[in-house]
Amino acid sequence: MTHGIPAQPAPLPADLTLRHPIPADHARLQVALADWWGGLGGEAGALQRQLLVPRLFLQHFAGTSFFVERPDGTLHAFLIGFLSQTDPETAYIHFVGVRPDGKRAGVGRALYERFFALARDAGRSRVRCITSPNNRDSVAYHTRMGFRLEPGDRVDEHGTPVLVDYDGPGLDRVAFVREV
């Protein structure tokens, strides 16, 4: 076990299939990005999530990303990640989602552990990611997964450090890092 990461990632439930995404999966991913967040941010929030994961991620980062499917072929969960081209010590998790009716079954953890192992095998020592400050579930999840909050420009009403305008005007983010 390295930095709290098991040598073997947690198994997925037997009825689920893990694979790397392909460009043809983009339409299904776009539906998930619009629907799985319970209306967080309204219509603008759904569009923002969809714009954050263009097809290029499924074309150029498929080998470091994962899709989990149900027996009927529907999308159950996904993790989009990559190895930093700029920082040889870092891997980056760009976006993760688990179908609302599939949460709390360990699938998210299993995906993260697979990505941590992939990053470690590629010689990376840390994984970084960000989330929106208003996505309190994501902030809580990442801290439970062992990520540390990185310093921000301000602290919000929950005591969370926030990077103001990180992704553009009004697009504040919370940044995390975890050693692997």
Side-chain angles (χ1 to χ4, degrees):
M1 189 173 288
T2 304
H3 296 286
I5 302 168
Q8 289 295 323
L12 290 169
D15 62 331
L16 298 177
T17 303
L18 177 76
R19 67 175 177 84
H20 294 292
I22 59 172
D25 292 321
H26 189 251
R28 288 192 309 152
L29 180 58
Q30 290 293 295
V31 170
L33 291 163
D35 294 346
W36 290 3
W37 274 260
L40 182 67
E43 214 171 288
L47 178 60
Q48 190 180 113
R49 283 186 296 280
Q50 289 175 310
L51 292 173
L52 285 171
V53 191
R55 185 179 306 274
L56 73 88
F57 281 96
L58 307 185
Q59 294 169 317
H60 300 287
F61 302 107
T64 53
S65 299
F66 302 100
F67 264 38
V68 176
E69 293 174 319
R70 293 178 172 184
D72 65 1
T74 59
L75 185 60
H76 182 82
F78 65 90
L79 182 148
I80 306 297
F82 56 89
L83 304 175
S84 173
Q85 297 295 302
T86 307
D87 181 354
E89 298 295 316
T90 299
Y92 188 84
I93 295 175
H94 179 66
F95 221 110
V96 179
V98 176
R99 213 179 163 92
D101 64 356
K103 290 186 176 185
R104 306 244 182 256
V107 175
R109 176 173 291 279
L111 285 173
Y112 274 76
E113 288 177 359
R114 275 173 178 71
F115 188 79
F116 296 156
L118 181 151
R120 193 174 49 243
D121 290 348
R124 307 306 167 109
S125 61
R126 76 182 67 86
V127 173
R128 294 184 183 280
C129 59
I130 61 170
T131 194
S132 172
N134 64 342
N135 191 342
R136 301 309 306 162
D137 290 343
S138 178
V139 172
Y141 184 79
H142 284 92
T143 54
R144 282 194 310 271
M145 286 294 299
F147 283 88
R148 287 188 334 268
L149 290 160
E150 297 208 74
D153 305 316
R154 70 174 177 85
V155 175
D156 71 10
E157 65 275 11
H158 304 285
T160 305
V162 174
L163 296 162
V164 176
D165 297 337
Y166 181 88
D167 277 331
L171 299 175
D172 300 348
R173 299 293 182 249
V174 175
F176 302 93
V177 63
R178 178 177 170 160
E179 302 306 315
V180 295

